[in-house]
Every structure is written in C-alpha cells, then in structure tokens.
Amino acid sequence: MQYKSSLCYNAFQTADRRRQWPVKQVTKANFAEALAEIKTLIFNSDYVAVSMRKTGTYSSSWRKILPIDTAEIAYLKAKLSAERYQILQFSVCPFSVKDSKLIAHPFNFHLFPRDELKIGMPSYSFSCQSSHLTSMAREGFDFNACFYNGISYLSKTQESAAKVRMVNLRSSDNGVQSSSVHSVADSVFIERIKSRVKNWRSACRNSNKTDDALISSLRKVIAGSELYGSRPCLSIDICSERQVELILEMLKGFADVVPLRAPTKGGGMQVVRVVLTCSEEDKNLLEEELQNMEEEQNRSLRGFRDVIDLISTSQKPVVAHNSLNDFASIYSKFLAPLPSTMDEFYSSLLLIFPLILDTNHLLTKCSPFEKLGSISGSISYLKKRLSAPIDMEIPDQESGNVNVQGHYVLKLCRLFVTLHSILKISPEVHEFDNSPLSPSVQHHANNFGPVSEDNGDSSAEDIRIWTHSSRRVSTDNLVFLLGFEAGATAGKVKRILHDSHDVFSKEFDIRMVDRTCAVVVFWTPGLSEQFMRIMGSGEIISGKLKDMISEGLRAVDYETYRRACKSVLWKTHLAECLDEASGGKETPLSVAKSQREHQLEICWHSDEMINLDEL
C-alpha cells in the first residue's frame, strides 16, 4: 500500500493540518532491519536529504553565524557548536524526482553515544539547551527510548583507536612476509616458541581420554593449555610487534593451528593465542566463525555510522538546509575531530560527500531580495509568489514504527523539489558526459554558508547576505563598540554618534551584536581608522559621546573580533571576549591591517542582524 497525494502548495498546507507525514522511527531494536532497507533505497534514489535535532546550537546571540562573519569565523562558530552539542535525532530521506513528483522514503534514527563495548568510547559529556529539549518534547520525542535504546556509534578515528584496544579476532598471516635475515635474538625466540608449540600440540594429541580428571588437569597445566570454546588453546605473551611477526611467520609451518591476537587491558604486553583444530574442516569452520564475529564486532563499533558510510559510498547529492552547521556536526561525530581551518574542513569533507546542495543557497537564486530563514517560511513565500505544483508519494511504513518525529526532513524534501522545479535542476546523466551528474547539479552544489555563491573559490572569506539592498563592505570598515550603559539600543547609540563628531557626518550603520556590544559599519573608506584614532587619542569629542567615553565606552577593530573567535574565549557576552582579546585597549586599525596578508569583505545588511530593539 502506498500513501499518495497530488497537491499544489495550498493542498500541502491543508494536508499538514489534517495529518502528519509518516516517518519510520529507528532505534537499536530495529536498526539492522532498517539499515538493510535504507541501503537499497539510497542507491536507487536521486538525492538524499538529511536533517538533525541536537541538544542545542548556540548558547548566546553573538555565537550565531552573523552577517559580519567571514567564512573563517563562521566555521569557528559552527565548529564550536558541533563539538559542544550532541545529535539525538538524525533524519535521512532518500528521494527521487520524476518531473514534479517527489518519491520519498523518510527514516528517523534515534542516537545516543553509549560505551556499548566497554572500551571507553564514545563516552563523553555534552551541553544541552533547555529550549531545544523543550521543543523536542513538544513534538513527542521519547527521551527514555533515546537514552536506553538509541543507536550508538564511533567515528572513523575512534574506531581505529578502539580496534587497538580490542581483541583482534583473526591474526591473519596475509601480508606477513618471511624475513630473509633473522638476528641471533630472532632465531633464539623462534626456536623457543616453536619448541613450546610442538610440546603443547603433542600433549593435546596424546592426551588419553581414559585419564581421570586430575591427571587430565595436570597435563593441561604442564602444557600451558587453555580452552577457546571447546578447542585447546595456547597463550603466548609477546612484548613487541616484531615478536608478533616472528610468531605468525613460524606458525605457517603448522597446518592445524589458527593464531589469534589479543591486546591486554593494561595496554602493555600482548598475547597471541594459538588454537588447535582437529581437521581441515574444523579449521575452516573456526575461521568462518571468527570472521563472522569480527564483522559483528565491527558493526557494533560503527553503529549508526554505517548509514553515513552508505550515503558517502553512494556518491548521491546530499540535500541540507544549513550545510555548514549540519556537516560540521556530521564530520565531528562520525568522521574525525574537526580541522582547525575552513579550508581543511572543506577539502576533507568533499572527499567524502562530493556534492552537497544547500537549500539556503538555492533560495538565493529564486528570491535574492527576501529574507527567508526557516524552511516553513521559504515554502510559504514560494507558495505565494511562484507556481510549482508537486505530487508526493511516500511508501507506507509499518504502522508500529510510524509517528511524526523527524517530519522536518520531509519539509526539506518538499522545499528542495520546489526549487528543483523552478531552477530546472536535473540529476540525469548525459550520454556523453563523463561526470556522474549533470552540470546543473554541479553548478549549484557545495556552496557552504557564508561562502559567497558568486565565488566558487573555497578559500574566499566572503559572506553573502541576500536580503533587500545588501552591500559589500571591507572588514576594515567595521568597528565594535562596547562598554555602553545597559539597555542602550542601536537607534539611541546611532543618534548619539551622529551628533558627536564630523567622522559621523557621512553615511554609517549600526546594529547590536548582543546586549553588550554594537557593530558600526562606515560606508566611506578611512573613516573607521579615523574613528579608532580619535577613541585611542582622547581627542575632544562633544556631547553625550564624551560622557559615554568617560563612563567606559571603548572601540575595537575587526581583527580583535577575529582574535576573540580564534582564541575560543566564547564567553556569554561578546564585550567580555573582546576585552580579553584586546587586553582592555583599543587596537589601532593601521596596526591590525599590517598583520593581515589581504583585505577581507562581507556582504552587509542590517536587517539580517539580531535587532534587540524589537525583542
């Protein structure tokens, strides 16, 4: 049975009020089944949409990505958020587009980082924001199910480290090459271990089944024999990788043994276990059992990361609404620790996910002069201004596993399909095109906010604010004001500045970054440097501004803001961070300019800044 509807946007709105779209819920209990199902769907789809619910995003207003942020600073903010907050829901929706028809298969995975295998990973602390948890609770999120039955995982880096600590079930001799030259110490070690293995095998083979229990036990003690399951096993302590190589090389001469390697819990001396088999058939059976156990162990280590690996292996375009934040979290949790710079992050990420489509950037192609933040707001805007009828088809899920959690990813699919229709994006492969996807997809892919869509160079440190009358401005023309009285508004500060000095006689703009700091943008080059010099020199300034300076008003440049972000001071109030970054002193702009290799720009629009006057 399938759930179908042929709808335009008005019908979508009506359908949303009548019912919620079905989304398959996945926990530890049904993860294996869902993994097999989603694998086929991913490889048969055109795109894969992803969204997530975390325990928080940004704990204060200035830590959000703002229009004053270059790509470098925006990445630092996304990095901090990804490292601080935990993903509790990860929604994945493989979908295809046929003309204007969306065929979607939504899955909502419940995650929780749990030390399932008792190896000390990925047990770590994380921060929570009450507003995010409250929102999830209102949607019916079952926190008990998440904590007790959520799917755990390890990143690729953590998995590599974990395997060193765990039993390596198979010490395969593949790749172990005989050394042409052995040292005297090597030869002595080999002969000693060979003699021990021979004596142990003989004792096991010659053991008289009619011996009583006491004699049988004594034989095992003398031979140093243990049991691996029902098979005799000999443990050999080793203290170097070289000794492991020598033992594996030596054991090639024994056709009836299987070597296993197990690091000790203390991390010091290791153990190579030699298991004795009774026949070639028994040996093959043991190796098959070990292979199955190793595969199960690796699946337990990877956990939910198997889904991430499937998406990566499929090479399908991945659709997100806020790609910088989302993929910083994906990279941090499932791949490796985040790199220190945006360029490293960008180049490493694209090796794993070569095509990422951000609906925020696609919206700039349709509505370059409107402020469209949320998915719901974007859908509403497009519904009113553009005609884009859509058919939606969602295959029916098992009734016991379907509820409304994770429906956000379906909204994302709906938004993308609308943009897909308007922008004529097509994943079809051209007959003579060597690339896996059509140029139209590649043209729209890999635009990470706040990197400007006009500049395909990932190293560009620009930001695009695609709202009404946006303007490009150098970061040298921005000055941060701090130390003003509590309750000051942008309008009030602007009036005071306008009447205080000739430097403010020409056009300038001001907005509050948070309640402790405002940013001033000068539209005439050179005026910011002049203002910083006035503030630092104590030059006579008239009116209310003079009183504000005497009461502690200070000014710092953009370079100080950059240092505050790079130093990870990240206190609640921006003024405190800027104070620490500047040492409590204004930095002359000429000095800051000489410390940079090139000039940076942002695209400014005051409407995009947080307007505390309206709160």
Side-chain angles (χ1 to χ4, degrees):
M1 179 180 177
Q2 288 186 327
Y3 178 89
K4 292 187 178 181
S5 54
S6 296
L7 308 164
C8 65
Y9 276 112
N10 287 329
F12 268 137
Q13 298 281 349
T14 304
D16 279 346
R17 286 193 293 269
R18 289 199 310 264
R19 65 177 70 85
Q20 294 288 348
W21 303 108
V23 180
K24 183 166 187 175
Q25 306 299 309
V26 185
T27 62
K28 237 183 358 179
N30 63 331
F31 177 60
E33 169 199 342
L35 184 64
E37 184 180 352
I38 201 172
K39 178 179 180 179
T40 302
L41 295 171
I42 287 174
F43 279 88
N44 292 337
S45 66
D46 292 335
Y47 306 92
V48 180
V50 298
S51 69
M52 60 202 73
R53 295 300 302 270
K54 300 186 289 185
T55 58
T57 50
Y58 302 101
S59 56
S60 58
S61 58
W62 79 273
R63 295 179 187 175
K64 297 179 181 179
I65 297 176
L66 301 172
I68 59 174
D69 294 332
T70 62
E72 173 193 24
I73 292 176
Y75 171 68
L76 290 174
K77 291 182 175 183
K79 179 175 182 289
L80 178 74
S81 175
E83 293 169 342
R84 176 168 290 186
Y85 298 109
Q86 176 59 39
I87 301 172
L88 296 184
Q89 280 187 345
F90 197 111
S91 299
V92 181
C93 185
F95 68 99
S96 298
V97 183
K98 307 298 181 185
D99 297 324
S100 295
K101 185 177 186 179
L102 164 63
I103 305 171
H105 307 272
F107 291 74
N108 187 48
F109 295 87
H110 297 252
L111 310 183
F112 197 74
R114 189 183 299 101
D115 188 9
E116 302 256 10
L117 300 175
K118 310 303 179 186
I119 55 177
M121 291 186 292
S123 181
Y124 51 80
S125 60
F126 53 85
S127 299
C128 295
Q129 280 182 273
S130 59
S131 59
H132 281 255
L133 300 185
T134 300
S135 175
M136 294 172 71
R138 286 173 180 166
E139 294 177 6
F141 185 82
D142 188 341
F143 288 95
N144 281 328
C146 174
F147 297 155
Y148 293 109
N149 204 24
I151 307 161
S152 191
Y153 55 85
L154 290 183
S155 69
K156 288 187 176 182
T157 300
Q158 289 172 332
E159 181 186 5
S160 298
K163 285 182 176 179
V164 175
R165 305 184 190 181
M166 296 181 64
V167 174
N168 186 1
L169 295 175
R170 293 188 301 159
S171 287
S172 173
D173 58 5
N174 293 334
V176 177
Q177 300 178 355
S178 298
S179 302
S180 57
V181 179
H182 288 155
S183 67
V184 174
D186 289 344
S187 299
V188 171
F189 177 78
I190 290 174
E191 290 302 320
R192 179 168 60 84
I193 299 301
K194 182 186 292 186
S195 175
R196 183 179 172 189
V197 172
K198 283 182 177 179
N199 293 333
W200 166 71
R201 286 174 68 251
S202 297
C204 291
R205 297 293 187 197
N206 298 330
S207 178
N208 190 341
K209 296 183 179 180
T210 62
D211 290 343
D212 60 28
L214 177 60
I215 294 175
S216 178
S217 299
L218 289 174
R219 287 182 185 277
K220 291 179 180 180
V221 170
I222 294 171
S225 183
E226 305 170 2
L227 285 178
Y228 184 85
S230 60
R231 298 177 178 92
C233 170
L234 174 67
S235 294
I236 304 172
D237 293 334
I238 53 95
C239 54
S240 70
E241 287 296 320
R242 176 60 177 165
Q243 290 185 351
V244 174
E245 294 174 5
L246 294 173
I247 290 175
L248 296 180
E249 179 184 333
M250 179 270 296
L251 290 175
K252 290 180 181 180
F254 298 91
D256 55 355
V257 301
V258 175
L260 308 178
R261 178 177 173 181
T264 58
K265 293 184 178 180
M269 185 179 293
Q270 299 181 354
V271 174
V272 172
R273 291 174 179 165
V274 185
V275 181
L276 182 64
T277 59
C278 61
S279 65
E280 184 176 352
E281 182 182 359
D282 184 42
K283 182 177 180 180
N284 292 337
L285 180 62
L286 174 59
E287 290 182 335
E288 184 179 349
E289 290 174 0
L290 292 172
Q291 182 176 358
N292 292 337
M293 290 172 64
E294 185 175 6
E295 289 174 355
E296 180 60 33
Q297 185 185 81
N298 289 337
R299 280 195 295 270
S300 298
L301 286 173
R302 294 190 303 268
F304 174 75
R305 208 192 76 234
D306 270 337
V307 177
I308 302 298
D309 291 343
L310 282 177
I311 297 172
S312 174
T313 303
S314 73
Q315 299 289 283
K316 300 293 183 179
V318 184
V319 178
H321 189 63
N322 191 339
S323 57
L324 180 57
N325 283 331
D326 285 354
F327 281 90
S329 293
I330 290 172
Y331 195 107
S332 172
K333 299 297 185 292
F334 308 120
L335 302 177
L338 283 162
S340 58
T341 67
M342 175 73 176
D343 288 345
E344 293 177 70
F345 166 72
Y346 187 85
S347 58
S348 298
L349 182 66
L350 294 186
L351 293 175
I352 301 163
F353 303 102
L355 290 164
I356 298 172
L357 295 161
D358 191 327
T359 51
N360 265 321
H361 283 275
L362 295 178
L363 282 165
T364 67
K365 306 293 185 180
C366 300
S367 53
F369 303 113
E370 295 293 332
K371 178 182 178 181
L372 304 175
S374 68
I375 288 181
S376 298
S378 302
I379 291 175
S380 177
Y381 169 86
L382 295 175
K383 181 200 73 171
K384 293 176 181 177
R385 290 166 174 79
L386 301 169
S387 174
I390 294 175
D391 295 337
M392 175 177 277
E393 179 179 319
I394 303 178
D396 196 16
Q397 310 279 9
E398 294 181 14
S399 59
N401 274 329
V402 176
N403 63 33
V404 302
Q405 294 183 48
H407 63 272
Y408 184 88
V409 74
L410 277 175
K411 292 184 178 181
L412 174 61
C413 291
R414 287 167 50 186
L415 174 59
F416 175 79
V417 172
T418 306
L419 296 168
H420 173 281
S421 176
I422 295 168
L423 299 174
K424 309 300 182 185
I425 300 174
S426 173
E428 299 295 332
V429 180
H430 295 304
E431 184 177 358
F432 301 104
D433 189 358
N434 293 326
S435 65
L437 295 168
S438 67
S440 60
V441 169
Q442 294 175 353
H443 174 72
H444 293 293
N446 304 333
N447 285 314
F448 285 81
V451 178
S452 171
E453 62 188 297
D454 290 340
N455 192 336
D457 182 3
S458 63
S459 64
E461 299 195 8
D462 297 342
I463 183 170
R464 171 160 295 279
I465 307 300
W466 36 274
T467 55
H468 180 62
S469 69
S470 63
R471 300 168 66 178
R472 191 171 297 278
V473 61
S474 166
T475 55
D476 288 340
N477 294 336
L478 270 62
V479 173
F480 293 84
L481 292 179
L482 50 149
F484 42 75
E485 62 184 11
T489 64
K492 180 180 178 181
V493 175
K494 186 171 184 177
R495 286 191 297 273
I496 293 171
L497 294 177
H498 190 273
D499 299 329
S500 65
H501 195 277
D502 291 342
V503 75
F504 294 107
S505 60
K506 296 184 178 179
E507 184 184 8
F508 70 97
D509 202 355
I510 183 170
R511 275 289 175 175
M512 305 296 290
V513 182
D514 66 4
R515 297 189 183 280
T516 67
C517 181
V519 61
V520 181
V521 56
F522 292 90
W523 297 113
T524 303
L527 291 184
S528 58
E529 186 174 353
Q530 184 179 348
F531 176 64
M532 290 291 293
R533 187 169 56 251
I534 292 169
M535 293 290 291
S537 64
E539 180 179 327
I540 297 176
I541 301 175
S542 61
K544 180 65 175 175
L545 179 58
K546 182 177 181 180
D547 297 334
M548 291 176 67
I549 293 174
S550 65
E551 293 170 1
L553 183 70
R554 302 176 301 286
V556 297
D557 64 346
Y558 197 89
E559 191 62 27
T560 303
Y561 177 66
R562 182 193 309 280
R563 287 200 303 272
C565 294
K566 281 188 173 182
S567 63
V568 198
L569 295 172
W570 301 111
K571 295 191 177 179
T572 302
H573 300 300
L574 178 56
E576 297 178 63
C577 298
L578 294 176
D579 265 336
E580 291 195 24
S582 65
K585 299 179 181 179
E586 293 86 354
T587 303
L589 202 61
S590 57
V591 174
K593 289 171 69 175
S594 67
Q595 295 172 350
R596 290 201 306 271
E597 296 179 358
H598 57 278
Q599 180 175 333
L600 305 176
E601 289 185 339
I602 61 169
C603 271
W604 168 273
H605 192 283
S606 60
D607 289 346
E608 282 288 333
M609 292 295 292
I610 299 170
N611 189 355
L612 299 181
D613 299 357
E614 299 173 357
L615 296 181

